Amino acid sequence: VIETSTAAEAAALLATASRIVLLSHVNPDADAIGSALGLSRGLQAMGKSVVTLLTDPVPEYARFLRGADAIGSTLPADPPDVYVFADAAGFDRVGSLYTDDPSRFEGVPIVNVDHHRTNPMFGTVNFVAGDASSTSELSYHLLRELGAPIDADTATALLFGIVGDTGSFRNAATTPGALATAAHLLELGADTQSIAFYLFECKTFAAARLWGRIVGGIELDRERYIVFACMSQEMLRAEGATADETEGVAEYLRGVAEAEVVMLLKETEDGEIRISMRSRPEVDVSVIATALGGGGHRQAAGCTIAGPFEHAKKTLIEAYDSFHPQ
Ligand code: AMP
Ligand code: MN
Ligand code: MN
């Protein structure tokens, strides 16, 4: 039986490594980038060689973070001493960096740092805590365990991840641990003003117009208390916006008083539909996402299903009804 490990076990494995490759998930969110950059900066400050990689580009709102421009997208030729997977609820969540050639990960120890309850514990060491606010909070504890230096830029990266996953300390991930860690990171010089601006306020003119289109097209299922919203490739083209600029729309729609669940359907370039689900505390959307091959948290989950929109919507309603018999 593979069990959850402690920060001390994860630290022990990392302490002996000198060459580390650090990976996080596709469509990286604030916690993916914050934990990856926070860990890599802390480990580098210990004198280790760390390569940080993402399959997808760093979204615009995270580019102000120190080290974001050094994140790569190709594995080094030689295998490292240790791989670190951060905020990845499974091997496949890392995307093509993993799926293109899984054999490159064989025979190398893996430190799995994550807070998804659906994590299958794929690591050699699994520092996984389903009740933690974020992987960035766990990364802070891991760096403290290692005695790694945490400078102001590292603190900013870690706080960026915590603020992202707690929705700025508003959603259910706002635990005492999230607030206590945030307090320590503030003492270490984290730049809260930049985090608030880039994560929640700054948007391009094109993105503001894209939001208008998405919000303008919402539909309400009054029997199931679901708000459906769609983002097509045509909308992206028409406004000159990018898919990652929809970040925040689903949270905004969670405020629709007549609904308990938000389902944001985003058409990908190859015609599949990426679903972002958000819910009020009474409703668990992770079970719906998991049933459709995805995963996530009780109030924020996702999956990818076949298009077109009408078909995807039908699939979502069927899955929803199987968990909420009328
Ligand atoms: P998103 O709507 O993309 O912001 O995702 C919401 C949450 O669900 C995040 O914590 C994601 O990590 C998680 N999630 C999204 N898609 C998947 C998936 N295919 N498998 C597992 N977790 C997912
Ligand atoms: Mn994440
Ligand atoms: Mn996370």
Side-chain angles (χ1 to χ4, degrees):
V1 185
I2 301 163
E3 287 179 355
T4 303
S5 327
T6 62
E9 290 168 279
L13 182 48
L14 286 171
T16 61
S18 53
R19 290 165 49 259
I20 297 167
V21 169
L22 215 146
L23 306 143
S24 190
H25 62 76
V26 288
N27 302 309
D29 57 12
D31 189 32
I33 294 160
S35 59
L37 279 181
L39 279 176
S40 67
R41 289 184 55 82
L43 291 164
Q44 276 164 350
M46 293 177 75
K48 298 177 187 300
S49 147
V50 186
V51 175
T52 310
L53 302 174
L54 291 169
T55 294
D56 293 325
V58 175
E60 193 61 41
Y61 65 81
R63 298 219 180 125
F64 78 99
L65 293 170
R66 183 91 57 175
D69 52 359
I71 294 178
S73 58
T74 41
L75 289 167
D78 297 326
D81 301 327
V82 171
Y83 286 107
V84 178
F85 283 63
D87 202 43
F91 271 131
D92 293 358
R93 289 285 292 149
V94 158
S96 58
L97 273 170
Y98 176 78
T99 55
D100 277 356
D101 188 2
S103 73
R104 299 195 54 168
F105 293 81
E106 284 165 16
V108 179
I110 290 171
V111 176
N112 171 16
V113 188
D114 190 31
H115 70 125
H116 291 87
R117 290 181 203 279
T118 51
N119 192 294
M121 309 292 177
F122 56 83
T124 315
V125 164
N126 300 288
F127 181 35
V128 176
D131 54 359
S133 67
S134 54
T135 301
S136 296
E137 179 189 340
L138 295 174
S139 301
Y140 167 81
H141 292 303
L142 185 49
L143 291 180
R144 290 294 294 253
E145 189 70 38
L146 278 158
I150 300 178
D151 68 10
D153 290 323
T154 305
T156 299
L158 294 171
L159 186 58
F160 181 76
I162 295 172
V163 172
D165 264 15
T166 61
S168 200
F169 306 108
R170 283 179 298 171
N171 66 31
T174 310
T175 57
L179 291 164
T181 306
H184 289 148
L185 292 169
L186 264 179
E187 281 168 0
L188 294 168
D191 179 0
T192 53
Q193 296 307 298
S194 293
I195 292 170
F197 179 70
Y198 288 109
L199 203 43
F200 297 113
E201 293 175 17
C202 181
K203 57 181 72 66
T204 62
F205 180 68
R209 286 190 53 95
L210 175 68
W211 278 47
R213 283 203 181 212
I214 296 171
V215 174
I218 59 173
E219 289 173 15
L220 180 62
D221 182 330
R222 292 182 183 273
E223 276 148 47
R224 299 179 179 83
Y225 308 102
I226 302 174
V227 169
F228 287 98
C230 293
M231 184 222 71
S232 65
Q233 287 291 312
E234 194 278 324
M235 289 181 193
L236 290 184
R237 272 193 301 275
E239 301 300 348
T242 57
D244 62 40
E245 289 181 301
T246 59
E247 191 81 33
V249 178
E251 283 75 12
Y252 173 71
L253 291 173
R254 181 158 43 196
V256 173
E258 291 87 343
E260 292 175 345
V261 173
V262 178
M263 296 203 178
L264 172 60
L265 288 68
K266 295 168 282 186
E267 185 185 30
T268 67
E269 277 172 35
D270 34 19
E272 289 187 313
I273 313 285
R274 255 184 49 73
I275 316 294
S276 282
M277 301 183 203
R278 298 292 183 272
S279 64
R280 303 266 182 78
E282 313 81 65
V283 184
D284 183 357
V285 284
S286 72
V287 292
I288 304 166
T290 304
L292 295 171
H297 313 279
R298 188 177 165 88
Q299 287 181 258
C303 59
T304 300
I305 54 187
F309 284 119
E310 276 316 307
H311 173 264
K313 194 173 158 187
K314 199 163 148 278
T315 307
L316 289 167
I317 288 175
E318 281 167 12
Y320 180 88
D321 286 347
S322 72
F323 289 102
H324 304 87
Q326 305 268 311

